[in-house]
Amino acid sequence: MRETVEISLQVNERAQSLRIEPRETLADVLRDRLGLTGTKVSCDAQVCGACTVLVDGRTVSACTFLAVDADGGAVRTVEGLARDGVLTPLQQAFIDEAAFQCGFCTPGMLMAATALLEENPHPTEDEVKEGLDGNLCRCTGYAPIVAAVLRAAEAGR
Amino acid sequence: MKRVIERGPAPEPIGISVPRRDGIEKVTGAASFTTDLTLPGLAHARLLRSPYAHARIRSIDAEAARRHPGVIAVVTAADLPGVQLEYGHAVADHPLIATGKVRFAGEVVVGVVAEDAATADEALRLIEVDYDPLPYATTVEEALAPGAPVLHEKAGRQGAHRGFEEDITRDHPNVCSTFRQAWGEIEDAFTGAHLVLEGTWHYPMCYAFAMEPYTSVAEWKDGELTVWSSAQHPYMVRDDLAHVFHLPLSAVRVIVPYVGGGYGSKSYTKIEPLTAALALKAGRPVRLALNVDDAILTTRGDGATVQLRSAFDRDGRLLGRQATVRLDSGAYAENSPLVGRKAANRLGGPYRIPALEVTCQVVYTNTAPASSFRGFGAPQVVFAAESQMDEAAEALGLDPLEIRRRNLVERGERPWPKVRGLDAKLADDLALAAAELDWSTPPAPGVGRAVCVSASDAGSEPVTTATLRVHPDGSVTVLCGSTEIGQGSATALAQIAAGEMGVPLEKVRLVQSDTAAVTYDRSTGASRTTTLMGLAIRNAARDVKAQLLEWARESWAGEDAPEPVLEHAGIRVGDRLAGWGEVVRAWFAGDYGEAIGRGYLRKAGETAEMPPFWEVGCVGVEVRVDESTGEIHVEKLVTIGDVGCAVNPQLAEAQDVGAAIMGLGMAMREELIYEDGNLVNGNLYDYRVPRFTDLPELRTVLVERGDGVGVYGAKGGGEGALNPVASAIANAVRRATGARLREAPFTPERVWEALRERDAANGR
């Protein structure tokens, strides 16, 4: 039997208590144990940002962030953005600007941009680019994502 | 985005930027990719890969792994009797798992299936493989040197042979195939020339980095196989699986959920046969999910060396072009023979060249196999060809725009014998790009500008079907084998169906990419989907309307009954317009039933001539070079998206921008590097793709002249804007600094060296 530990955390404002192996990443726990497959894993090495989620309001790469380190914390994922089927202005702006194509980077991109706008509600274009530079997108060429974040800032997130 | 519209009207919603139909799913995390799939009893696979570039496998000891708790199956080639191990699109030379020998560092040697991936990883560490290392060749030069190690002792069986007109010939044991393209009197062209230019260009091997790495899930039930995969071409994967496992095509079902990026790298068959073999041995459904480091070892783009010689008259008109192209295609043929053929073809356009002779060799090396990648031979050769056009302009004292204008083929003119005439006004596109760069205003000192063009014979084979079902309430379901890989096919194809049937978009549902549920489509690639599947859907709409007209006649016949007349959105019966649903209900005499429209497309009629369409590329750049560091700053990037008819302008623009930025990455930074037989930058730390802060000022002009073969004159986009980017940057750097770049990517080190060469040439 492998060693396990008990963790308790809030995920999208819902309390969760789980028995997990200490080696499990936050991405493993979200995807495999909680069925929150919106969070995507790509590089698996904290380079691409696809797995970005918020832990206590700060962006982390869930692919390399151990779930035990989220014990007692509040996690937000892409599934927690829309409320009662109403998209956030940022999500709506992503649709309006066609700020995604394949959509694989989108959950991480949305979480990184959500954190950016919470910290800096009215970023300049350069601040958006700097703020999201840790998130890769291979489809869009980035321009529509910048436009979407600026549009969401305009709309009050 | 600017638009130039010189085409006839199209019925709405064709031509309108409706929101993407996958939008809400993709921004809420609900969109399901293969990697998100789970099944009851699903087991997990991991792979042991060769650390050697070239070695014989003496023995594999997997006993400890087999005994490891939680392990379900350990699979080597020896465990798969009765399975046709070698498969391949052009040449069936690729074993799904190593058979006696490995040909590149990273080749799969053993597969382990366990209850979970961590257990499979533990078991991998218990496997002992005894290798007998062999001499290796990781470059084309090494592979073609006298006495070079031979990768494939016997010539590969001709593979699936879909779309190959020529035989795969081997004129050297390490040459997988050679393609020759020639016309005109090449000797005469060079003898009579005023100017002859010659040079060699190098284009790197690149990695597509689709953000979803290759993933597949296989399940066997009663001898029938179902595979879910991140594949662009479900029907081709089906065909290969049927061949590998000796199954009828109908016994193989390939389902493709949303795909996390393709760019050609998910064309053809990848890990599906291996996953199915593992599931067969495990007796359980198996998931094989690669990570990015593994994906890099699965497929890459072909590196290229292009030796190019061109002859011009005193007015800058091309007289002849002669080239030798060598592709570094890695250990297995995959689709590289076709890349080679296209590389040769794509040196032919978009100029009028009276004589041409191109030889393209596809060379085996002990590196990860190369296959399709966006642009498909074009970025490699256009870099050389368009660089040389600027060199000719400089030598003759001509404006680079002017020398291109003098040589471009006109719309309707065949770039070479027996092909479709060019379906674009490239000179006009070039003028648009130049205008966006204020071409007539001289740039500031230290700033350089360039415009470059390309024309690719695109669209692949026009072999496509679609099924269009009309329900009794008038809503429509379209079944099609084209895959949504992010390009927006789910949206654009639904727009075409709605426009053709005259029904609101929200009444159209599109079902894609399930070989047991939708009808055949050859592939999703070569920028063909909107154009060719669009035509198949149009044909299905015409077919169902003809049936519905017949049904209206049958249902409402009578002595004084008016003759039913087909209209765009229904059937006129006297002064009344009956909707499609009403006709269905009348014919079935109740509120049930449906009408089924069939849409076929083949190499006949409007799509008889090849290529089905030309994909043109036209880009402009403005650059500044920091001479102290060799850093190039691309400040402006202009793309002209000449797509005939933009079914969804916003998505058409998105394809152009995405392609151009991918081209920027390949021109500036992307390069897979081998040292001592191993890939040394096979991860995203060291393989540098474009990021937000690399973004130049972008301008796109969408051009719609209705000159494509598709609906309302549509033709493909999505690769064109990538192809000329490297040449445009190199030419702009030359004009900014006087330095000539002949090897991509243009790292600061290479730029700095080119600047020193310039200084040496100038006697400084």
Side-chain angles (χ1 to χ4, degrees):
Chain A
M1 279 297 285
R2 294 201 181 98
E3 182 197 348
T4 57
V5 290
E6 177 97 17
I7 61 167
S8 297
L9 67 172
Q10 296 276 324
V11 179
N12 298 331
E13 299 180 359
R14 182 169 295 182
Q16 302 281 358
S17 283
L18 301 159
R19 180 155 285 281
I20 64 165
E21 294 178 38
R23 61 165 183 84
E24 285 181 59
T25 66
L26 185 54
D28 292 335
V29 167
L30 292 171
R31 290 179 53 82
D32 301 339
R33 293 191 182 269
L34 298 176
L36 296 171
T37 54
T39 299
K40 296 291 184 267
V41 175
S42 178
C43 73
D44 213 6
Q46 212 180 339
V47 183
C48 75
C51 64
T52 304
V53 299
L54 306 187
V55 176
D56 296 328
R58 294 175 54 195
T59 56
V60 306
S61 294
C63 73
T64 46
F65 189 90
L66 289 174
V68 290
D69 289 334
D71 189 17
V75 178
R76 282 162 70 196
T77 72
V78 69
E79 290 92 344
L81 290 178
R83 306 234 171 177
D84 304 322
V86 180
L87 302 180
T88 64
L90 183 67
Q91 288 173 307
Q92 188 60 49
F94 265 57
I95 293 176
D96 294 341
E97 295 289 344
F100 56 87
Q101 289 179 26
C102 81
F104 207 77
C105 74
T106 310
M109 199 66 80
L110 285 166
M111 297 318 291
T114 296
L116 172 80
L117 291 177
E118 281 175 3
E119 198 177 301
N120 180 2
H122 299 289
T124 63
E125 184 174 328
D126 282 343
E127 285 169 344
V128 172
K129 291 180 183 173
E130 291 290 339
L132 296 180
D133 209 38
N135 286 68
L136 300 179
C137 170
R138 194 60 157 163
C139 293
T140 62
Y142 299 110
I145 302 176
V146 175
V149 176
L150 293 173
R151 184 183 185 131
E154 192 79 10
R157 219 160 34 84
Chain B
M1 170 181 55
K2 290 185 188 168
R3 290 175 77 183
V4 174
I5 302 179
E6 298 163 12
R7 61 164 170 85
E12 289 186 3
I14 295 171
I16 295 176
S17 296
V18 304
R20 289 185 67 108
R21 302 193 104 200
D22 50 3
I24 290 175
E25 277 181 86
K26 285 184 174 174
V27 302
T28 56
S32 184
F33 296 77
T34 305
T35 189
D36 302 326
L37 181 76
T38 188
L39 292 174
L42 186 64
H44 300 264
R46 289 285 212 234
L47 307 174
L48 187 71
R49 293 175 181 274
S50 163
Y52 292 101
H54 198 193
R56 249 179 272 288
I57 300 170
R58 279 206 201 95
S59 63
I60 301 171
D61 181 358
E63 280 319 300
R66 287 185 212 275
R67 286 195 308 268
H68 189 66
V71 169
I72 300 161
V74 177
V75 180
T76 69
D79 300 307
L80 297 168
V83 173
Q84 174 60 51
L85 295 173
E86 283 95 4
Y87 68 96
H89 175 57
V91 184
D93 62 357
H94 196 170
L96 59 93
I97 194 161
T99 51
K101 174 170 159 170
V102 290
R103 297 181 175 85
F104 68 98
E107 182 153 6
V108 177
V109 178
V110 187
V112 172
V113 182
E115 295 293 343
D116 56 59
T119 304
D121 276 332
E122 289 164 5
L124 288 184
R125 293 193 280 274
L126 303 173
I127 298 169
E128 301 279 348
V129 183
D130 185 12
Y131 293 99
D132 177 15
L134 298 167
Y136 56 79
T138 50
T139 65
V140 166
E141 293 69 34
E142 288 165 4
L144 298 181
V150 174
L151 273 84
H152 294 268
E153 288 77 7
K154 59 178 173 72
R157 207 168 27 80
Q158 193 101 356
H161 203 74
R162 290 166 294 231
F164 286 87
E165 283 143 19
E166 66 277 1
D167 282 338
I168 301 295
T169 56
R170 299 217 300 175
D171 45 20
H172 180 285
N174 285 335
V175 172
C176 168
S177 70
T178 303
F179 183 75
R180 290 188 179 83
Q181 174 71 283
W183 63 78
E185 298 298 325
I186 195 74
E187 293 305 326
D188 297 354
F190 280 88
T191 347
H194 172 74
L195 173 72
V196 173
L197 291 172
E198 196 166 352
T200 302
W201 282 263
H202 300 280
Y203 201 84
M205 43 172 100
C206 291
Y207 166 53
F209 181 46
M211 289 193 69
E212 177 195 30
Y214 302 101
T215 304
S216 71
V217 172
E219 181 179 40
W220 291 86
K221 273 185 182 168
D222 298 329
E224 293 188 335
L225 172 63
T226 302
V227 170
W228 291 261
S229 183
S230 56
Q232 289 180 225
H233 311 338
Y235 271 96
M236 286 213 196
V237 175
R238 176 200 66 167
D239 295 356
D240 278 334
L241 289 169
H243 169 78
V244 166
F245 296 101
H246 311 291
L247 295 169
L249 295 174
S250 57
V252 182
R253 180 178 189 181
V254 177
I255 302 171
V256 180
Y258 282 128
V259 176
Y263 328 109
S265 74
K266 292 172 179 169
S267 302
Y268 307 98
T269 299
K270 305 295 178 201
I271 59 172
E272 297 88 352
L274 177 56
T275 314
L278 294 172
L280 188 67
K281 297 309 289 184
R284 293 259 297 266
V286 167
R287 174 180 191 262
L288 176 58
L290 302 190
N291 61 25
V292 162
D293 296 16
D294 283 339
I296 298 177
L297 297 169
T298 304
T299 308
R300 60 171 176 81
D302 290 86
T305 300
V306 182
Q307 290 170 279
L308 182 64
R309 204 168 151 242
S310 298
F312 296 85
D313 72 10
R314 67 180 64 251
D315 298 323
R317 290 197 173 80
L318 268 162
L319 301 172
R321 189 179 263 180
Q322 201 171 25
T324 303
V325 180
R326 290 200 177 87
L327 298 184
D328 183 339
S329 299
Y332 296 102
E334 304 286 319
N335 206 30
S336 288
L338 191 55
V339 176
R341 187 214 284 176
K342 292 292 188 186
N345 285 351
R346 289 164 184 187
L347 273 170
Y351 300 116
R352 191 178 299 117
I353 310 175
L356 176 137
E357 186 182 88
V358 181
T359 302
C360 181
Q361 287 181 312
V362 173
V363 182
Y364 285 127
T365 62
N366 292 110
T367 60
S371 192
S372 315
F373 185 14
R374 202 174 198 167
F376 208 91
Q380 292 93 328
V381 298
V382 171
F383 175 37
E386 283 294 89
S387 294
Q388 203 163 61
M389 287 305 280
D390 261 43
E391 290 182 340
E394 196 178 312
L396 296 168
L398 286 171
D399 185 302
L401 257 183
E402 181 53 29
I403 194 169
R404 286 178 170 79
R405 270 195 215 116
R406 289 182 188 182
N407 286 289
L408 284 170
V409 300
E410 302 281 337
R411 184 162 73 181
E413 187 181 347
R414 299 177 198 277
W416 71 82
K418 294 183 193 165
V419 291
R420 182 184 292 269
L422 187 73
D423 49 10
K425 286 183 172 175
L426 265 175
D428 292 6
D429 291 349
L430 202 57
L432 288 168
E436 290 298 313
L437 290 174
D438 297 320
W439 192 263
S440 49
T441 314
V447 172
R449 292 180 193 142
V451 286
C452 288
V453 291
S454 66
S456 292
D457 46 335
S460 187
E461 306 281 309
V463 179
T464 290
T465 70
T467 310
L468 191 149
R469 303 162 57 196
V470 178
H471 305 294
D473 64 352
S475 65
V476 166
T477 301
V478 178
L479 311 179
C480 82
S482 303
T483 302
E484 173 56 68
I485 59 172
Q487 84 281 44
S489 64
T491 307
L493 295 175
Q495 285 179 259
I496 291 171
E500 289 295 312
M501 292 301 294
V503 301
L505 186 58
E506 52 279 13
K507 286 197 176 174
V508 175
R509 176 168 189 168
L510 189 76
V511 182
Q512 296 179 273
S513 297
D514 175 343
T515 63
V518 304
T519 49
Y520 185 86
D521 185 19
R522 183 184 184 277
S523 57
T524 299
S527 307
R528 71 194 287 282
T529 298
T530 304
T531 306
L532 300 184
M533 183 54 82
L535 286 176
I537 290 172
R538 181 207 64 188
N539 290 349
R542 285 181 180 172
D543 183 62
V544 84
K545 285 181 181 183
Q547 289 180 57
L548 288 165
L549 179 62
E550 201 49 46
W551 289 6
R553 285 193 185 116
E554 287 180 32
S555 302
W556 295 315
E559 221 158 85
D560 299 326
E563 176 65 18
V565 179
L566 191 61
E567 293 202 354
H568 182 67
I571 290 169
R572 182 155 300 280
V573 188
D575 54 5
R576 203 171 62 82
L577 187 71
W580 309 124
E582 187 185 336
V583 181
V584 171
R585 295 195 302 272
W587 196 74
F588 283 97
D591 192 4
Y592 40 40
E594 69 178 59
I596 305 167
R598 302 155 304 169
Y600 297 108
L601 199 69
R602 62 191 181 113
K603 227 184 274 182
E606 65 204 325
T607 47
E609 261 188 325
M610 292 293 276
F613 56 88
W614 292 91
E615 181 167 5
V616 297
C618 179
V619 305
V621 298
E622 187 170 295
V623 309
R624 194 168 46 77
V625 179
D626 183 338
E627 292 218 5
S628 62
T629 62
E631 186 75 46
I632 301 170
H633 299 276
V634 178
E635 305 205 317
K636 278 185 197 162
L637 179 51
V638 175
T639 70
I640 308 299
D642 184 343
V643 295
C645 165
V647 172
N648 185 313
Q650 188 182 37
L651 299 189
E653 179 195 23
Q655 282 304 299
D656 236 35
V657 171
I661 296 300
M662 193 172 259
L664 184 76
M666 286 147 97
M668 299 288 283
R669 289 289 179 273
E670 296 186 35
E671 177 176 33
L672 293 170
I673 299 167
Y674 273 84
E675 280 174 17
D676 301 327
N678 270 277
L679 181 61
V680 295
N681 64 339
N683 60 72
L684 276 185
Y685 295 106
D686 300 317
Y687 186 87
R688 171 71 159 75
V689 299
R691 314 179 78 95
F692 274 95
T693 46
D694 296 326
L695 193 58
E697 182 191 329
L698 284 162
R699 290 187 197 171
T700 300
V701 182
L702 219 48
V703 177
E704 302 176 53
R705 300 196 187 97
D707 38 19
V709 73
V711 295
Y712 308 98
K715 57 192 175 183
E719 294 184 12
L722 184 157
N723 299 333
V725 172
S727 54
I729 293 172
N731 290 342
V733 167
R734 170 72 178 187
R735 285 162 70 83
T737 67
R740 173 53 68 186
L741 297 163
R742 294 174 192 276
E743 183 169 8
F746 312 137
T747 58
E749 186 182 349
R750 285 187 184 137
V751 175
W752 196 84
E753 279 168 8
L755 291 166
R756 297 293 81 76
E757 278 170 33
R758 170 206 62 186
D759 292 345
N762 294 341
R764 273 190 275 167

